[in-house]
Amino acid sequence: MKETTMATMAQTEHVKVTVKDLKGKVDPDWCPGCGDFGVLAALKQAIAELGLQPHTVLTISGIGCSSNLPGYLNTYGMHTLHGRALAVATGAQLGNHHLKIVVTGGDGDGYGIGGNHFVHAMRRNVDLTYIVMNNQIYGLTTGQLSPTSSKGMNTKSTPFGSVENPVNPIPLAIAAGATYVARGFTGQQKQLVELIKGGLQHRGFALIDTFSPCVTYNHDNTHEFFKQRTRKLEEMGHDPTDVHAAMEKGWLWGEVIPIGLFWRRQDLPALDQLEPVLGAGGPLAHRPLGVAPDIARALIAELM
């Protein structure tokens, strides 16, 4: 199986996929101890446990340390522009709504530079799973304030402490229309795998905000910081179908920081289910182009 190619896999849907089979062609260059290793491991485990074939999954990212992830995973992958991963993912999902779309990135990429796309992808309920590796700092550019950095935090760009209130992605996502809203922690791998599996199985926009400590540039929000404070929602008696409780739990931040599934609703159609042109004939990617091959080649060459 290790040497199995994508083409061969396409012909052998029944072949069992293991975590080992999902290893990418290059190894991560993250700092030793980076939380992103935990996200990569959990995503591989979730894909394997759900029995998803690599050629049925497309992983898309923006820019940042965490956005290198598609290169470390044996699925289709795209490393796109800073903050634009969700826009690309929306197009890919509408082009082939049979693919399982996974978007990965960081808090700066997703909640800052890509904030506009984040809100609108959620209100459209695009069928994808968005895993944000939230380390509360811009790590790739060596430690500037990010949208989720705590108020008062000293960083390279705020040497006297941040005066800004941080973005709270959980209430924001619920209010914007995301239909699966969860928070994980790389120090709770078993729960994180289940949250990702839930997101992959959900029909609609699934956000999994994940505490992924940056061991190099964020010395406030460390692995130990979250280990001492995080509490699992399932152990707090939380009902993820109660939107008021979800908002209330989403705002908790202090000695207790909830992790788990905050909110889920399954009564809303995803964007591709509302597009009449996608209702018959299968994915656009599998249909004839409708123009002569030479014209198609010229158009593709012009666009590329």
Side-chain angles (χ1 to χ4, degrees), residues 31 33 35 107 133-140 142-146 148-150 153-156 211-226 253:
C31 301
D107 42 295
M133 286 163 261
N134 187 351
N135 57 20
Q136 300 166 278
I137 199 85
Y138 275 98
L140 185 65
T142 69
Q144 296 81 18
L145 189 79
S146 93
T148 54
S149 298
S150 301
M153 185 174 176
N154 295 98
T155 71
K156 187 174 287 186
F211 294 137
S212 179
C214 174
V215 296
T216 303
Y217 296 109
N218 188 341
H219 301 296
D220 293 349
N221 309 114
T222 62
H223 184 93
E224 192 62 27
F225 173 91
F226 289 116
W253 185 274

Side-chain angles (χ1 to χ4, degrees), residues 2-282:
K2 181 178 180 181
E3 300 300 325
T4 302
T5 65
M6 287 288 192
T8 303
M9 285 179 166
Q11 301 167 2
T12 54
E13 296 285 346
H14 62 282
V15 174
K16 180 178 173 59
V17 174
T18 68
V19 169
K20 191 175 180 181
D21 299 321
L22 293 165
K23 184 180 183 301
K25 292 182 178 179
V26 295
D27 293 323
D29 59 357
W30 295 319
C31 301
C34 174
D36 294 353
F37 285 102
V39 175
L40 177 61
L43 179 56
K44 287 180 182 176
Q45 187 69 37
I47 291 173
E49 289 188 14
L50 290 177
L52 297 175
Q53 295 292 323
H55 71 280
T56 66
V57 180
L58 170 61
T59 311
I60 298 175
S61 68
I63 297 295
C65 294
S66 52
S67 289
N68 289 333
L69 189 144
Y72 311 143
L73 188 66
N74 181 28
T75 66
Y76 285 119
M78 293 181 69
H79 194 178
T80 68
L81 299 177
H82 213 344
R84 302 297 179 262
L86 287 175
V88 175
T90 299
Q93 203 279 331
L94 293 177
N96 187 353
H97 55 284
H98 286 178
L99 277 177
K100 190 68 72 177
I101 307 288
V102 179
V103 183
T104 62
D107 42 295
D109 181 70
Y111 302 148
I113 295 169
N116 179 42
H117 297 292
F118 178 54
V119 170
H120 292 290
M122 290 189 290
R123 75 172 174 82
R124 292 170 178 144
N125 199 27
V126 183
D127 186 21
L128 55 82
T129 301
Y130 188 24
I131 304 172
V132 178
M133 286 163 261
N134 187 351
N135 57 20
Q136 300 166 278
I137 199 85
Y138 275 98
L140 185 65
T141 49
T142 69
Q144 296 81 18
L145 189 79
S146 93
T148 54
S149 298
S150 301
K151 192 172 186 177
M153 185 174 176
N154 295 98
T155 71
K156 187 174 287 186
S157 60
T158 56
F160 302 107
S162 170
V163 298
E164 301 176 1
N165 291 314
V167 166
N168 186 330
I170 302 301
L172 173 61
I174 296 169
T179 48
Y180 181 101
V181 180
R183 178 194 281 149
F185 168 39
T186 53
Q188 293 288 350
Q189 277 286 289
K190 187 175 180 180
Q191 183 196 41
L192 182 56
V193 170
E194 293 304 314
L195 292 175
I196 295 175
K197 285 169 62 179
L200 291 169
Q201 294 173 304
H202 178 72
R203 192 75 163 94
F205 191 101
L207 170 70
I208 304 164
D209 181 73
T210 305
F211 294 137
S212 179
C214 174
V215 296
T216 303
Y217 296 109
N218 188 341
H219 301 296
D220 293 349
N221 309 114
T222 62
H223 184 93
E224 192 62 27
F225 173 91
F226 289 116
K227 183 179 178 182
Q228 293 175 3
R229 292 166 174 79
T230 49
R231 300 288 185 275
K232 294 179 180 177
L233 282 168
E234 55 266 36
E235 296 173 358
M236 299 169 70
H238 176 63
D239 175 5
T241 66
D242 184 338
V243 68
H244 299 291
M247 291 293 278
E248 182 183 353
K249 295 289 193 311
W251 280 112
L252 284 180
W253 185 274
E255 294 306 311
V256 173
I257 302 175
I259 54 175
L261 179 59
F262 287 82
W263 169 240
R264 178 178 57 200
R265 64 180 301 180
Q266 298 172 293
D267 58 326
L268 294 180
L271 179 62
D272 60 276
Q273 294 175 300
L274 296 172
E275 288 290 345
V277 72
L278 302 179

